[in-house]
Amino acid sequence: MKLILLGPPGVGKGTQAQKICEQFDSVQISTGDMLRSEIAAGTALGKKADRIISEGSLVPDDIILGMIKNRLFVGEKPTNYILDGFPRTIEQAKGLEKLYSDHHDSLDKVLLFEAPEEMIIDRISARRSCSNCKKVYHLVAMPPKKKGVCDSCGGKLVQREDDKPETIKKRLKVYHEQTEPLVDFYKKRQLLEKIDATGTPEDVAKKVMTVLKG
Ligand code: AP5
């Protein structure tokens, strides 16, 4: 199964991607995680991406499409995967269509996660991620057992640089301007399924499973 998870920053795409991977034999491909790995490794791409991500803008389409092409169609090619945070512009969506057409492949579904803006801001503000294994927590809804420490690996929990209030506003504006047009794009292709992303992570996961198994 080949899926896209679409929706505003902080709506819970990454959280649901992990749950889908647990249920189906699937891999999560997050362009945000790929870029953060480049930043951590101090590569030239990482240095460029760091500046762009910190200000809440989008990394250029050609860079993102190059990363996706390598991940999906070069070397060990995944058969079941979840694209989390990609595509984010019409240009990226068209680029992905071209890649699928070149490789005689296609998408199965696009899940659009929706929640009110105040809820999204609350979720992002209270997010903490493990600096080591990247596991994601919410200080209230999904707290770690021990404050500041990852349950899975004991790593230190940190707040993402782009999760500060000024950057959150900019990321939401960028989402409305550049990513939301993808809703119509995928609706026209009859691939779009809307998911109400309010409620607990488990509630949302149940709605996702209904759509995927239906
Ligand atoms: P990226 O890492 O993709 O961030 P994002 O899309 O902004 O999404 P987030 O990771 O912020 O949120 P999410 O929806 O995954 O929510 P999560 O599950 O963590 O991108 C970061 C940056 O990289 C971009 O701004 C851009 O600069 C660049 N970039 C990445 N991809 C790009 C691309 N394709 N093109 C160009 N640039 C790109 O949940 C959030 C919080 O809520 C967590 O604390 C979680 O525990 C909690 N939570 C989740 N679900 C629930 C629930 N149901 N109830 C209560 N709490 C919940």
Side-chain angles (χ1 to χ4, degrees):
M1 187 163 46
K2 297 174 178 67
L3 295 177
I4 286 176
L5 303 195
L6 187 62
V11 74
K13 303 180 296 294
T15 302
Q16 294 304 321
Q18 286 177 8
K19 290 185 181 297
I20 300 168
C21 287
E22 285 163 18
Q23 290 281 323
F24 298 88
D25 183 22
S26 212
V27 287
Q28 176 185 8
I29 298 176
S30 155
T31 41
D33 285 347
M34 290 162 90
L35 292 167
R36 282 184 287 276
S37 296
E38 295 284 340
I39 294 170
T43 63
L45 166 57
K47 285 184 184 124
K48 186 172 181 182
D50 195 12
R51 184 178 42 78
I52 297 171
I53 292 175
S54 306
E55 66 180 36
S57 304
L58 294 182
V59 172
D61 293 331
D62 58 335
I63 293 180
I64 298 289
L65 281 165
M67 279 173 23
I68 285 290
K69 184 178 176 186
N70 282 337
R71 183 67 183 84
L72 299 186
F73 300 109
V74 176
E76 203 179 307
K77 303 170 194 73
T79 41
N80 295 316
Y81 54 80
I82 301 162
L83 295 173
D84 165 14
F86 171 88
R88 251 177 158 97
T89 62
I90 293 285
E91 207 48 43
Q92 290 181 17
K94 287 183 177 164
L96 181 64
E97 275 191 343
K98 168 88 172 55
L99 285 171
Y100 279 137
S101 147
D102 290 350
H103 293 85
H104 311 289
D105 207 342
S106 61
L107 265 177
D108 292 298
K109 275 187 174 51
V110 177
L111 305 187
L112 170 66
F113 291 86
E114 298 179 304
E117 197 139 307
E118 319 81 72
M119 189 177 275
I120 287 169
I121 292 171
D122 165 78
R123 286 183 183 176
I124 302 185
S125 311
R127 170 166 49 197
R128 297 294 182 272
S129 319
C130 176
S131 52
N132 180 43
C133 74
K134 314 297 171 210
K135 184 168 176 181
V136 174
Y137 296 85
H138 182 278
L139 293 179
V140 180
M142 283 182 284
K145 292 192 183 95
K146 189 172 167 201
K147 193 177 168 198
V149 179
C150 177
D151 295 347
S152 298
C153 74
K156 188 178 169 208
L157 300 188
V158 292
Q159 184 173 36
R160 264 168 53 178
E161 230 4 83
D162 59 339
D163 280 353
K164 307 280 161 64
E166 330 72 67
T167 320
I168 295 174
K169 279 195 201 134
K170 171 78 187 290
R171 286 165 62 199
L172 285 166
K173 185 168 180 282
V174 167
Y175 174 77
H176 292 307
E177 289 173 358
Q178 300 192 49
T179 308
E180 225 162 37
L182 293 178
V183 173
D184 269 348
F185 183 90
Y186 286 117
K187 212 185 262 174
K188 281 187 190 135
R189 284 153 180 78
Q190 300 184 330
L191 289 169
L192 198 81
E193 298 275 2
K194 290 187 182 183
I195 307 279
D196 171 9
T198 60
T200 66
E202 290 69 32
D203 290 338
V204 181
K206 276 187 200 143
K207 295 174 205 168
V208 170
M209 294 312 150
T210 305
V211 165
L212 294 184
K213 288 176 178 166

